[in-house]
Amino acid sequence: MYTNPKPCKHLADYKLRHGLSGYNLLQEQIRTTPSGKSSVKNHQTEIPRCCFCNGYQKRLYLCLICSSISCSSHTLLHSQCENGHDIAVDIERSELYCVLCCDQVYDPDFDKIVMLKHLMDLPRSGNGVDVSAGRRSSKRRRLCSALELDLKKTKQLVSMRDLRAKSCYPLGLRGLNNLGSTCFMNSVLQALLHAPPFRNYFLTGQRNHEVCRKRSSDRLCLLCDIYVFFSAVFSGDRTPYSPAQLLYSWWQHSANLASYEQQDAHEFFISVLDGIHENGVKARNTGECHCVAHRVFSGQLRSDVTCMSCGYTSTTYDPFMDISLNLDTGNCPSTDLANKSLKPSDNTYVSTLLGCLDLFTKPEKLGSDQKFFCENCQERQDSVKQMSIKRLPLVLCLHIKRFEHFPVRRMSRKIDRYMQFPFCLDMNPYLSSSVVRNRFGNRMFAFEGDELDTSTEFEIFAVVTHSGTLDSGHYVTYLHLKDQWYKCDDAWITAVEEEVVRASQCYMLFYAQKMLYYKANEDLVCQPVSPRADPFLPIAGCC
């Protein structure tokens, strides 16, 4: 019922003529790192160069038929000179590239070849602990040469390695294969998989995707495909999963982002929630959306604009699915990092999440071009704007603005400043009730936003990080499950210490209300889930 998107015609023609022979020969030249990064290395040349211009600074591609190397400016020329030489491999990323389509293409057969090579190169003992690479290198080489790289054998090897190294991992902790620069998608999906109320909705079978009326022959239902994705990840299978169907469905809902180029993880997060919202049901009287995206991630912001001439205040309320924060200009030295060996340098200064939230709720004087029309003065006046949070969501997503764009200069840059963030977060100082009381000298008076059952304490459960530059970066997710941190780097999942997470360059932070977080961790024994269970109650064993 669910299959991977069809490959491009040129790749299909190549496989029809040559089968997997080119993949098998290339496997010997693939080199992988323990983090899962793979590239193509040729023993004959230390520095690969283009056979046309002899250059090496541009992106280089290796032809799968003749093994000649050409740069991004001459790949088409090589295809025109050699008939049928249309499929190549990106040397730096070890990803398939169609010369005629001028785009990266995905093939699950090629993905399994790269994955098997990584497993053979990864030195591990029986309990998953790294051992001396030199002691096992000769054995791995003999094993690789003796294996027949057919699909059945590949699946068996991946399953054997997974049972050996990941059998003790929590349910739902499963690697996601990179489908061609899709680490931005995998990182966000890992966070959504373990957001307690969001996860529970899809695991309780609230939606019958088999009879969904919104699915047609030419357009897929994104919500149904997310349901299938959750079912596959929580099925108990430990082999890395390829979310190709979900990627294809998302492309249909976000055509402007449909490409194999690296996208922004935050944009993908918002886009997926918007796609879920399209399937939501609105209440007849209030018009409020009852979709799972809004029930879990939606909160409400309060904006107060005060006239500096007469003191009149205009208040507006706006919904939010996440909060984007500017990095504060704090001067906390990096020596305060939990693990000094992981700090970038001794003279680096880091920001703090609390400082970013203080900056977000700090009164801001609007510029002369943003003068506020005061209803009391009946003219435009200088004003002060202050933001606060009127209503908190069940799951709070905080986005750190690390990418700056300058339209006038036509340039962009990434902010590499490190930021400290707490694992337990109290949002009470940033609620509208607290902010407004502080503004009026903390006088005691009734406030419309006060609710006795409102929980302001949150626990972190996922951190999406970004490393590298603006043009060439990589996303990784850290998950906190059963009192243990795990690093999710596409298909590769490893247990890490808390200090590694604290020293990471966070980009998106996911916090769950403490009550939900701890209830979801009370029972570590997985139990059957009733189809009629409340999706917003914790499911035992899933976290």
Side-chain angles (χ1 to χ4, degrees):
M1 183 176 177
Y2 294 94
T3 59
N4 291 326
K6 294 182 179 180
C8 75
K9 178 181 181 300
H10 313 103
L11 177 60
D13 293 341
Y14 166 82
K15 293 184 67 176
L16 186 63
R17 295 195 308 268
H18 304 282
L20 301 180
S21 59
Y23 294 176
N24 296 339
L25 293 175
L26 180 69
Q27 186 261 355
E28 299 179 358
Q29 302 182 31
I30 295 177
R31 297 293 179 267
T32 59
T33 63
S35 62
K37 307 298 186 302
S38 60
S39 59
V40 179
K41 301 292 184 182
N42 194 327
H43 295 289
Q44 301 176 355
T45 56
E46 294 183 0
I47 301 179
R49 295 178 181 271
C50 175
C51 61
F52 289 95
C53 63
N54 202 34
Y56 60 90
Q57 294 183 345
K58 295 183 179 180
R59 180 149 292 178
L60 299 177
Y61 297 92
L62 176 72
C63 178
L64 272 180
I65 297 179
C66 64
S67 297
S68 63
I69 297 176
S70 56
C71 66
S72 54
S73 301
H74 297 106
T75 51
L76 184 59
L77 179 60
H78 172 71
S79 178
Q80 294 172 346
C81 296
E82 303 290 341
N83 186 26
H85 293 213
D86 305 330
I87 305 300
V89 176
D90 188 323
I91 291 180
E92 182 182 354
R93 300 184 179 183
S94 186
E95 296 172 352
L96 288 179
Y97 180 81
C98 179
V99 176
L100 299 182
C101 294
C102 299
D103 199 358
Q104 292 172 323
V105 292
Y106 172 69
D107 183 11
D109 295 340
F110 181 79
D111 192 53
K112 291 177 181 178
I113 295 295
V114 177
M115 223 170 63
L116 175 62
K117 178 61 175 177
H118 176 83
L119 298 179
M120 295 302 100
D121 285 347
L122 190 63
R124 301 187 83 76
S125 63
N127 58 2
V129 180
D130 289 350
V131 296
S132 174
R135 188 168 50 188
R136 293 178 176 247
S137 58
S138 60
K139 293 183 180 180
R140 288 199 305 272
R141 284 195 294 268
R142 289 197 300 269
L143 181 59
C144 288
S145 61
L147 288 174
E148 179 183 1
L149 297 179
D150 58 276
L151 298 182
K152 184 177 180 180
K153 184 77 72 176
T154 301
K155 185 175 181 179
Q156 290 175 351
L157 286 171
V158 173
S159 299
M160 289 173 58
R161 190 261 178 183
D162 199 78
L163 289 174
R164 184 172 65 250
K166 298 183 179 180
S167 59
C168 61
Y169 282 2
L171 180 66
L173 190 59
R174 187 175 182 182
L176 302 178
N177 290 324
N178 194 309
L179 309 181
S181 299
T182 58
C183 60
F184 71 94
M185 176 183 72
N186 292 344
S187 61
V188 173
L189 290 180
Q190 290 287 8
L192 294 179
L193 281 168
H194 298 279
F198 190 80
R199 171 205 61 204
N200 297 358
Y201 173 85
F202 291 98
L203 295 184
T204 50
Q206 295 295 313
R207 183 180 183 82
N208 190 349
H209 63 279
E210 296 180 357
V211 296
C212 177
R213 299 179 180 178
K214 296 185 179 181
R215 178 182 293 274
S216 62
S217 58
D218 59 342
R219 185 176 176 85
L220 302 178
C221 175
L222 180 62
L223 194 60
C224 288
D225 288 321
I226 294 177
Y227 175 85
V228 173
F229 169 69
F230 269 77
S231 300
V233 173
F234 282 90
S235 65
D237 188 355
R238 301 294 185 177
T239 59
Y241 179 76
S242 296
Q245 180 67 30
L246 179 56
L247 174 65
Y248 186 57
S249 180
W250 174 65
W251 277 353
Q252 289 191 317
H253 288 79
S254 304
N256 60 318
L257 300 175
S259 72
Y260 278 104
E261 295 296 325
Q262 179 72 276
Q263 303 290 343
D264 181 73
H266 178 245
E267 289 184 359
F268 173 77
F269 172 74
I270 297 299
S271 176
V272 167
L273 295 188
D274 286 343
I276 296 175
H277 169 66
E278 292 180 4
N279 296 272
V281 179
K282 293 185 177 180
R284 295 181 179 180
N285 298 330
T286 62
E288 295 181 356
C289 181
H290 289 172
C291 72
V292 61
H294 278 85
R295 291 183 67 183
V296 175
F297 294 97
S298 178
Q300 193 174 50
L301 291 175
R302 169 172 170 156
S303 174
D304 293 325
V305 181
T306 303
C307 175
M308 297 182 63
S309 178
C310 68
Y312 172 80
T313 299
S314 173
T315 301
T316 57
Y317 300 95
D318 296 298
F320 71 88
M321 304 297 283
D322 71 318
I323 299 178
S324 296
L325 302 174
N326 291 310
L327 286 166
D328 70 306
T329 56
N331 57 357
C332 177
S334 62
T335 53
D336 289 344
L337 287 173
N339 192 336
K340 296 184 179 181
S341 62
L342 297 174
K343 62 180 174 40
S345 62
D346 290 337
N347 57 359
T348 302
Y349 290 89
V350 298
S351 300
T352 64
L353 178 60
L354 299 184
C356 296
L357 289 169
D358 289 337
L359 184 64
F360 179 77
T361 56
K362 181 181 178 180
E364 175 189 7
K365 183 178 180 180
L366 300 180
S368 57
D369 57 337
Q370 298 177 304
K371 284 191 174 183
F372 160 69
F373 181 80
C374 178
E375 296 182 4
N376 187 40
C377 301
Q378 288 298 307
E379 60 178 330
R380 294 190 175 275
Q381 301 280 10
D382 292 333
S383 58
V384 175
K385 180 179 179 180
Q386 187 171 27
M387 301 293 297
S388 59
I389 302 174
K390 183 179 185 293
R391 178 172 55 82
L392 288 165
L394 297 178
V395 175
L396 177 64
C397 175
L398 300 176
H399 163 238
I400 310 303
K401 297 180 181 179
R402 291 195 175 274
F403 304 119
E404 287 186 329
H405 305 281
F406 306 94
V408 178
R409 301 180 183 178
R410 295 182 180 180
M411 62 175 294
S412 302
R413 73 181 185 97
K414 180 192 172 186
I415 305 175
D416 287 323
R417 177 185 290 269
Y418 276 70
M419 190 188 78
Q420 295 177 342
F421 52 93
F423 289 175
C424 300
L425 178 64
D426 186 5
M427 292 296 294
N428 184 65
Y430 313 105
L431 292 180
S432 299
S433 55
S434 301
V435 172
V436 172
R437 283 195 178 102
N438 290 336
R439 186 196 311 163
F440 289 96
N442 203 27
R443 294 186 178 93
M444 298 301 295
F445 60 92
F447 189 77
E448 59 180 357
D450 287 341
E451 297 181 5
L452 297 178
D453 58 346
T454 299
S455 176
T456 62
E457 295 184 344
F458 288 77
E459 289 283 337
I460 197 167
F461 68 90
V463 180
V464 175
T465 68
H466 182 274
S467 60
T469 63
L470 180 64
D471 299 327
S472 178
H474 184 60
Y475 290 98
V476 170
T477 300
Y478 294 96
L479 293 176
H480 190 229
L481 307 173
K482 294 184 179 180
D483 297 325
Q484 173 65 53
W485 281 98
Y486 297 93
K487 179 181 179 181
C488 303
D489 189 352
D490 288 332
W492 322 112
I493 295 185
T494 55
V496 296
E497 297 297 330
E498 178 182 303
E499 290 77 10
V500 177
V501 182
R502 290 191 182 278
S504 63
Q505 199 170 104
C506 60
Y507 182 59
M508 297 176 68
L509 302 170
F510 291 85
Y511 290 86
Q513 286 191 10
K514 181 173 290 188
M515 184 190 314
L516 289 173
Y517 179 83
Y518 282 111
K519 282 186 177 180
N521 286 274
E522 285 180 354
D523 190 355
L524 301 182
V525 179
C526 185
Q527 301 175 354
V529 179
S530 171
R532 296 184 179 181
D534 186 351
F536 292 89
L537 292 178
I539 296 179
C542 292
C543 195

